[in-house]
């Protein structure tokens, strides 16, 4: 038993000494006075961490409480530990409030800034007395086509919500993407304190004019505290009542692209950068040797698919081979950040100088309303000759370096002496001929063996097909007559040739996926037990002329379409 505890102690000791990273972040960077905000501190590499000294926050914040969550992961034998400390704060006044660096597990966090606006009042007096209501805001309220807006959907409630469904808004003529997860906090609206669940979206108008977000409804369940004197279940669990709230429609004015913009790509962004990496610090490259460059276009407020593909202009004295571009889109909970990257292999053809021309990208700054130009300046490099004085030609070097074909191996015999060159190919030719001959013999033997093995199994297939064909013809002949009993027997016999497990016409009907065929079988069964002959089955031949329409099993039929509901979790 002692050894087991010692082993566990040795396992945990490294984790307690690996606090190699501390990161602090606010769940929101901008709030209204009266709202709460959560400071999340993540400590990597440890399972034990105490709440830091928060006395430095007392001047600007009320500290409402703190919680700690520890996580241990083991992936491929590698252990990673993490502790997350959440601190609930309520600002005491408006302005830009500073959260100073905090020391946790011997490591400092980075300082943070929280912008606090004055208290927010309801836009309409009707919300003043509601227990549950929805508020939607768009920032900014008007924008250009293609510009991202921040759409905030907030559910306010001052009752105990046991779960509910908050659908995503819809916007015709705009691209709508959810940003991050739901955020929970408290807020004061018109002197009344509410719990708030906030959901954020990136809204990108696709056409000029007016974009309208129609009203949508929240449906949930409120739980009233139970009466301790109630002997029933209501006293223990409380009583639940359905609650609902409708949002107000939101209209956004979308302006078209400015008429003087020109033919360049319209890029309305908050920030945009253009960068080129890989240039040598000393400004020198070697003729015939590749220069690998990496160009990046990154914009805040635009997804990656809206950005142009990075490219280099024609370079005099060099050949340019671009790689496939890569695209990524991330968000910080408010704004999308698109990034497009591409590599280039540049092969100088001769010694001398090589100029990489300037690259420019025109974009529109939505914050200042001004046209901007991102530029990578031109760069002139010195191309030195190869060490042996005879650099490889760009075509052969490119073929070897970029495509990695077997041409690289073909240059090896060229460095051997003349005797090796004359004897080598003859020997390898004989080896290749013998290898190909053995390979062909192996394939022939395998095909002969496979054909001999398949003969017995395949010999019964034509007989089964002939039997099914014969039974089908027999049923068609009976279907044109008036004997319902003969029709039923011949139909079941034909079906058993394809589905041997069928016992009666009822099972056959259950296996079919055609309403017409199932109805025909039902009429046939009624006619079979009728007291007199009937002509109601004369359409049997037409219904089954193309064979049976069998039902296909759907393995996902048992999956529930309803998501689970949890307290304060909205779907």
């Amino acid at each position: 038993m002692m050894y087991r505890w010692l082993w566990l102690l040795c396992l945990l000791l490294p984790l307690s000494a690996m606090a190699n990273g501390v990161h602090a972040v606010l769940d929101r960077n901008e709030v209204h006075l009266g709202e709460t905000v959560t400071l999340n501190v993540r400590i990597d590499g440890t399972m034990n961490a105490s709440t830091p000294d928060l006395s430095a926050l007392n001047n600007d914040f009320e500290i409402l409480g703190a919680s700690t969550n520890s996580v241990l992961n083991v992936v491929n034998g590698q252990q990673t530990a993490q502790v997350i400390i959440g601190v609930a704060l309520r600002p005491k006044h408006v302005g830009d409030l500073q959260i100073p660096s905090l020391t946790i597990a011997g490591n400092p966090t980075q300082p943070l800034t929280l912008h606090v606006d004055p208290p927010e009042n309801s836009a309409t007096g009707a919300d003043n007395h509601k227990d549950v209501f929805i508020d939607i805001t768009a920032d900014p309220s008007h924008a250009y086509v293609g510009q991202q807006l921040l759409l905030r959907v907030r559910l306010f409630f001052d009752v105990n919500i046991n779960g509910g469904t908050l659908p995503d808004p819809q916007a015709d003529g705009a691209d709508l993407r959810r940003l991050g997860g739901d955020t929970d906090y408290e807020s004061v609206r018109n002197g009344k304190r509410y719990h708030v669940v906030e959901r954020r979206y990136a809204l990108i108008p696709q056409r000029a004019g007016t974009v309208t977000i129609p009203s949508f409804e929240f449906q949930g369940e409120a739980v009233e505290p139970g009466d301790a004197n109630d002997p029933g279940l209501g006293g223990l669990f409380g009583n639940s009542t359905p609650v609902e709230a409708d949002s107000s429609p939101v209209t956004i004015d979308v302006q078209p692209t400015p008429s003087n913009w020109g033919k360049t790509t319209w890029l309305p962004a908050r920030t945009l950068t253009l960068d080129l990496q890989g240039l040598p610090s000393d400004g020198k490259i070697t003729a015939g040797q590749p220069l690998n460059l990496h160009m990046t276009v990154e914009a805040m407020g635009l997804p990656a698919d809206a950005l142009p593909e990075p490219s280099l202009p024609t370079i005099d004295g060099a050949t340019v081979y671009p790689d496939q571009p890569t695209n990524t889109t991330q968000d910080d909970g408010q704004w999308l950040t698109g990034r497009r990257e591409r590599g280039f292999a540049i092969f100088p053809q001769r010694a001398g100088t090589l100029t990489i021309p300037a690259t420019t990208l025109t974009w529109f700054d939505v914050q200042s309303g001004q046209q901007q130009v991102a530029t990578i300046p031109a760069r002139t490099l010195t191309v030195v000759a190869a060490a042996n004085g005879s650099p490889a030609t760009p075509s052969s070097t490119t073929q070897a370096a970029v495509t990695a074909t077997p041409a690289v191996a073909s240059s090896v015999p060229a460095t051997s002496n003349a005797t090796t060159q004359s004897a080598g190919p003859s020997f390898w030719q004989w080896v290749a001929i013998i290898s190909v001959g053995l390979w062909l013999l192996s394939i022939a033997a395998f095909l002969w063996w496979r054909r001999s093995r398949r003969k017995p199994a395949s010999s019964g297939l034509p007989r089964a097909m002939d039997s099914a064909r014969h039974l089908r013809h027999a049923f068609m002949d009976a279907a044109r007559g008036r004997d319902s009993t003969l029709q039923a027997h011949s139909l079941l016999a034909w079906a058993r040739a394809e589905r041997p497990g069928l016992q009666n016409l009822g099972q056959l009907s259950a296996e079919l996926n055609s309403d017409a065929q199932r109805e025909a079988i039902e009429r046939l069964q009624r006619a079979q037990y009728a007291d007199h002959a009937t002509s109601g089955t004369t359409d049997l031949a037409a219904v089954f002329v193309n064979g049976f329409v069998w039902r296909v099993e759907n393995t996902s039929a048992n999956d529930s379409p309803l998501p689970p509901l949890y307290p304060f979790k909205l779907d």
Side-chain angles (χ1 to χ4, degrees):
M1 186 69 178
M2 181 180 297
Y3 293 106
R4 185 175 302 173
W5 282 106
L6 287 175
W7 177 84
L8 182 60
L9 182 61
C10 293
L11 183 67
L12 295 179
L13 276 177
L15 297 177
S16 62
M18 288 173 55
N20 53 13
V22 177
H23 307 276
V25 65
L26 293 167
D27 65 344
R28 295 180 296 153
N29 296 321
E30 184 176 349
V31 299
H32 290 274
L33 189 64
E35 297 181 353
T36 59
V37 64
T38 301
L39 171 65
N40 292 308
V41 181
R42 188 185 78 234
I43 306 102
D44 297 324
T46 183
M47 287 289 293
N48 299 301
S50 58
T51 303
D53 182 11
L54 303 175
S55 58
L57 304 177
N58 289 331
N59 292 333
D60 296 324
F61 298 93
E62 295 180 40
I63 302 174
L64 305 179
S67 62
T68 303
N69 183 29
S70 301
V71 180
L72 175 64
N73 295 319
V74 179
V75 179
N76 296 328
Q78 299 294 325
Q79 300 173 359
T80 59
Q82 186 180 93
V83 173
I84 300 177
I85 301 175
V87 182
L89 305 173
R90 182 182 295 151
K92 292 182 178 180
H93 52 85
V94 299
D96 291 329
L97 307 186
Q98 301 297 319
I99 297 179
S101 176
L102 305 174
T103 301
I104 305 175
N107 293 274
T109 65
Q110 68 274 23
L112 301 173
T113 301
L114 176 68
H115 180 74
V116 182
D117 290 321
E120 185 178 19
N121 294 322
S122 176
T124 60
D127 291 337
N128 294 346
H129 305 288
K130 288 185 177 181
D131 294 331
V132 182
F133 65 91
I134 298 174
D135 179 74
I136 303 179
T137 58
D139 179 24
S141 59
H142 59 277
Y144 286 94
V145 62
Q147 175 185 347
Q148 184 214 327
L149 293 88
L150 176 61
L151 186 70
R152 301 170 64 193
V153 177
R154 292 180 291 177
L155 175 67
F156 290 77
F157 57 95
D158 68 347
V159 293
N160 294 323
I161 299 292
N162 192 34
T165 301
L166 181 64
D168 291 329
Q170 304 295 321
D172 188 21
D175 179 21
L176 202 62
R177 310 184 187 189
R178 187 183 293 192
L179 300 174
D182 294 349
T183 303
D184 303 330
Y185 56 92
E186 292 184 354
S187 178
V188 176
R189 181 67 68 93
N190 297 315
K192 188 174 183 181
R193 184 167 298 280
Y194 288 90
H195 297 284
V196 183
V197 175
E198 179 173 325
R199 188 174 290 175
R200 298 183 177 187
Y201 300 85
L203 188 146
I204 305 177
Q206 301 299 309
R207 63 168 183 260
T210 300
V211 172
T212 301
I213 301 174
S215 173
F216 58 93
E217 182 182 60
F218 164 77
Q219 294 182 343
E221 191 175 71
V223 179
E224 298 178 359
D227 185 359
N229 298 321
D230 186 354
L233 293 178
L236 181 61
F237 298 104
N239 299 317
S240 61
T241 57
V243 293
E244 61 183 29
D246 294 323
S247 67
S248 300
V250 176
T251 301
I252 301 170
D253 180 30
V254 182
Q255 303 178 38
T257 303
S259 57
N260 60 348
W261 182 254
K263 296 183 179 180
T264 59
T265 304
W266 169 244
L267 299 173
R270 299 178 65 83
T271 61
L272 188 144
T273 58
L274 187 62
D275 185 46
L276 185 65
Q277 297 290 334
L279 292 169
S281 58
D282 58 359
K284 295 181 180 180
I285 56 177
T286 303
Q289 299 299 321
L291 171 64
N292 296 311
L293 301 181
H294 190 83
M295 183 180 291
T296 302
V297 181
E298 184 174 281
M300 176 183 289
L302 286 175
D305 52 18
L307 298 175
E309 189 174 273
S311 62
L312 283 176
T314 302
I315 300 177
D316 185 26
T319 306
V320 180
Y321 293 89
D323 291 338
Q324 291 295 327
T326 59
N327 306 329
T328 57
T329 300
Q330 299 177 340
D331 71 81
D332 59 0
Q334 298 188 73
W335 307 105
L336 297 174
T337 298
R339 182 184 180 94
R340 300 198 78 172
E341 305 175 67
R342 195 175 197 181
F344 301 87
I346 302 175
F347 287 84
Q349 297 174 353
R350 59 183 178 268
T353 59
L354 181 70
T355 299
I356 300 177
T359 302
T360 60
L361 184 60
T362 303
W363 62 285
F364 185 79
D365 188 344
V366 297
Q367 298 188 86
S368 64
Q370 300 294 323
Q371 177 178 307
Q372 305 288 346
V373 179
T375 303
I376 298 175
R379 182 73 177 270
T380 299
L381 305 174
T382 300
V383 183
V384 299
N388 58 8
S390 56
T393 61
S395 58
S396 62
T397 308
T398 303
Q399 184 72 8
V402 178
T403 62
T405 64
V408 176
S410 67
S411 64
V412 176
T415 62
S416 304
N417 54 38
T419 304
T420 305
Q421 290 179 355
S422 59
S426 176
F427 170 76
W428 289 111
Q429 284 178 358
W430 280 110
V431 172
I433 292 173
I434 294 174
S435 299
V436 172
L438 292 175
W439 177 69
L440 292 175
L441 287 175
S442 300
I443 291 180
F446 172 75
L447 293 176
W448 175 83
W449 173 81
R450 185 178 180 184
R451 183 176 180 183
S452 61
R453 289 291 301 272
R454 293 181 60 184
K455 282 183 178 179
S458 61
S459 61
L461 184 60
R463 289 197 299 269
M465 295 176 61
D466 291 342
S467 176
R469 190 181 300 110
H470 173 75
L471 293 173
R472 177 179 180 277
H473 288 318
F475 166 73
M476 289 300 175
D477 292 338
R480 297 184 182 93
R482 301 176 62 85
D483 189 347
S484 58
T485 301
L486 179 60
Q487 293 171 350
H489 284 295
S490 58
L491 178 61
L492 185 59
W494 176 26
R496 285 174 176 171
E498 298 186 18
R499 297 283 177 98
L502 296 175
Q503 299 296 326
N504 49 54
L505 290 179
Q507 291 185 3
L508 172 59
S509 178
E511 292 293 323
L512 295 176
N513 195 34
S514 169
D515 293 336
Q517 292 185 354
R518 287 196 296 267
E519 292 173 2
I521 291 176
E522 183 180 358
R523 291 195 300 269
L524 177 60
Q525 289 177 314
R526 288 199 302 266
Q528 187 178 1
Y529 298 102
D531 294 335
H532 56 279
T534 177
S535 60
T537 61
T538 56
D539 59 341
L540 278 175
V543 173
F544 291 95
V545 66
N546 293 322
F548 297 100
V549 181
W550 298 110
R551 179 170 54 87
V552 178
E553 293 293 336
N554 185 2
T555 58
S556 62
N558 296 328
D559 294 340
S560 174
L562 298 176
L565 295 179
Y566 300 97
F568 303 105
K569 283 288 186 180
L570 302 177
D571 300 322

